Amino acid sequence: MKVYIATDHAGFSIKEFVKELFLKRGYVVEDLGPDSANRVDYPDFAKKVATKVAQNPGSQGVLICGTGIGMSIAANKIKGIRAAEVHDYYTAKMARAHNDANILCFGERVVGKGEIESIVEAWCETKFEGGRHENRVKKIMALEE
Ligand code: RB5
């Protein structure tokens, strides 16, 4: 599984920690920046990850900013993207199980390292349930037309 990751300055310091969590689960991780904690604009990095995920079916993305909110709003502007801003194990699990989210967003200023471990565990171990959720996700995607 390929995962693209990016942050803004407010998510930068946790990026290597999060990359390791995916690497140790066998994911191939591509870091799309930034390379330093210098101030940047989160929509630029949301666009980079969302575009890659949209172009590479089956891949996933991770976007981290201060809250996760700006990243998710921006990523969801790209066709084919279902970016979910999560807070904990349960919301990360539901984002995959019910919404078939393809980009995980959270805030470094909101969740600590322990919670991030739980979030990544839920994200990686949960598959889309399909069934009654299939048609709902199709309806979400139809809103793009
Ligand atoms: C940056 O200060 C902050 O606004 C950004 O990281 C993010 O939280 C926006 O949603």
Side-chain angles (χ1 to χ4, degrees):
M1 173 73 82
K2 181 78 181 259
V3 66
Y4 300 95
I5 187 168
T7 71
D8 69 355
H9 52 284
F12 180 77
S13 73
I14 205 70
K15 186 164 63 168
E16 292 305 316
F17 177 76
V18 176
K19 281 164 67 175
E20 268 310 307
L21 295 176
F22 280 90
L23 286 169
K24 79 177 187 198
R25 287 182 164 81
Y27 283 68
V28 176
V29 179
E30 188 170 331
D31 186 337
L32 298 180
D35 299 326
S36 77
N38 291 341
R39 198 165 292 277
V40 292
D41 295 331
Y42 59 82
D44 297 335
F45 290 88
K47 184 181 176 186
K48 283 178 196 267
V49 166
T51 303
K52 285 284 193 184
V53 172
Q55 288 170 347
N56 295 279
S59 68
Q60 296 182 343
V62 179
L63 288 166
I64 311 163
C65 60
T67 59
I69 297 170
M71 285 293 201
S72 60
I73 292 172
N76 278 316
K77 298 291 182 191
I78 304 294
K79 197 171 180 182
I81 294 307
R82 292 178 301 281
E85 192 253 318
V86 311
H87 307 279
D88 51 23
Y89 185 91
Y90 182 73
T91 50
K93 183 180 159 89
M94 289 301 112
R96 290 288 309 123
H98 287 190
N99 311 115
D100 199 17
N102 52 13
I103 298 186
L104 170 66
C105 303
F106 57 85
E108 182 182 336
R109 295 173 180 164
V110 179
V111 287
K113 277 188 168 176
E115 199 65 72
I116 291 172
E117 285 180 339
S118 298
I119 285 169
V120 173
E121 182 185 334
W123 178 267
C124 293
E125 291 178 4
T126 308
K127 301 235 175 312
F128 178 48
E129 282 178 15
R132 69 186 192 277
H133 303 293
E134 187 89 53
N135 201 40
R136 293 166 185 166
V137 171
K138 279 192 185 138
K139 285 188 176 185
I140 293 174
M141 303 324 285
L143 296 172
E144 289 178 341
E145 305 308 328

